[in-house]
Amino acid sequence: MKPLFTLQAIHDHLLAAYGPQGWWPADSVFEMMVGAILTQNTSWTNVEAAIANMKAAGLLDARAIAACNEDQLATAIRPSGYYNQKARKLKIFADFYLSHGGEPGLRALTSPRQMLLALHGIGPETADSMLLYALERPVFVIDAYTRRIFGRLGLTLPEASYHALQDYFHSSLPSSLELFKEYHALIVMHAKRHCRIRPVCVGCPLQDGCAHALESEAVNVQRSSECA
DNA sequence: GGCCAGGTGTAAA
DNA sequence: TTTACACATGGC
């Protein structure tokens, strides 16, 4: 089917609608990386509460995380959900962070993605979030929102793999750190406003795309009733 | 009270 | 190799 928009045009629509997002929201690079783990399948408001608890307990620090009792860490991050799992993940990540020389060491790695993916608890989305926002490598982050929005626009298949989607973005856009940072942030902003599972179409800046999708035979009835 | 949220690892088929 | 399922809190 004919694409509704180019990826660049969709970005431009979203930027015009929402303005620059300036992501990732955090006070430090380490906090970004912690946030990337805590936000796994979890709303950001819950993550904020967990990070506030970590700060209050003096635990938003790699050495403190590595040294603390895992149950103490789990208690602090309780609001983010999956707190036992995530406490273990944070300890594993903190050990990795320290053993590779902290932020400068991680920035200097030759294959940081491969090394992050080798860690328990870090999958492709978490690794790419860390690479893009903390280590400033131009990789496109694919999340559930990206899959939903571009699937509803008829540009991608629902069953496409993470890397198939990422290849699509990488091959369709110039490899730009700032573009990739902003685009992902705009996707999240847009999804929260207009592309929930239960859609809210009022004022959707991609509404022309929605209208087109409604007319397209390539978009099935269920999906076309939803807003991109 | 049920659904949903910026996933990942593991085990069974 | 694919498909379930566990992990868990808080907002709407």
Side-chain angles (χ1 to χ4, degrees), chain A residues 24 32-44 46-47 79-83 85-90 93 116-117 119-130 143-144:
Chain A
W24 184 291
M32 284 182 195
M33 301 179 99
V34 168
I37 290 172
L38 292 179
T39 199
Q40 290 172 359
N41 204 36
T42 301
S43 63
W44 186 252
N46 285 14
V47 174
S80 75
Y82 308 120
Y83 48 83
Q85 297 272 345
K86 288 175 179 174
R88 180 180 169 214
K89 294 177 183 181
L90 287 177
F93 174 70
L116 288 168
L117 288 175
L119 299 179
H120 174 91
I122 295 187
E125 184 183 334
T126 306
D128 288 338
S129 294
M130 291 178 171
D143 62 5

Side-chain angles (χ1 to χ4, degrees), chain A residues 45-160:
Chain A
T45 53
N46 285 14
V47 174
E48 286 179 318
I51 287 177
N53 288 348
M54 288 181 72
K55 286 181 177 173
L59 287 174
L60 199 48
D61 172 87
R63 275 183 286 268
I65 290 171
C68 80
N69 177 286
E70 193 166 311
D71 290 336
Q72 182 199 356
L73 180 58
T75 299
I77 65 171
R78 188 182 173 90
S80 75
Y82 308 120
Y83 48 83
N84 290 315
Q85 297 272 345
K86 288 175 179 174
R88 180 180 169 214
K89 294 177 183 181
L90 287 177
K91 275 193 152 288
I92 289 168
F93 174 70
D95 288 341
F96 171 83
Y97 181 90
L98 293 171
S99 68
H100 289 274
E103 181 187 336
L106 295 193
R107 283 183 183 278
L109 290 173
T110 306
S111 309
R113 189 173 199 275
Q114 190 177 355
M115 299 186 77
L116 288 168
L117 288 175
L119 299 179
H120 174 91
I122 295 187
E125 184 183 334
T126 306
D128 288 338
S129 294
M130 291 178 171
L131 289 169
L132 179 63
Y133 291 104
L135 303 184
E136 301 186 286
R137 306 287 179 113
V139 294
F140 205 93
V141 176
I142 305 298
D143 62 5
Y145 291 152
T146 310
R147 186 177 294 276
R148 189 184 306 157
I149 291 171
F150 293 90
R152 287 179 183 176
L153 285 172
L155 293 172
T156 58
L157 297 172
E159 67 272 20

Side-chain angles (χ1 to χ4, degrees), chain A residues 189-207:
Chain A
M189 167 61 76
H190 176 66
K192 286 180 174 176
R193 297 275 188 89
H194 295 291
C195 201
R196 317 300 292 221
I197 288 185
R198 303 247 182 278
V200 181
C201 281
V202 177
C204 171
L206 296 180
Q207 57 189 332

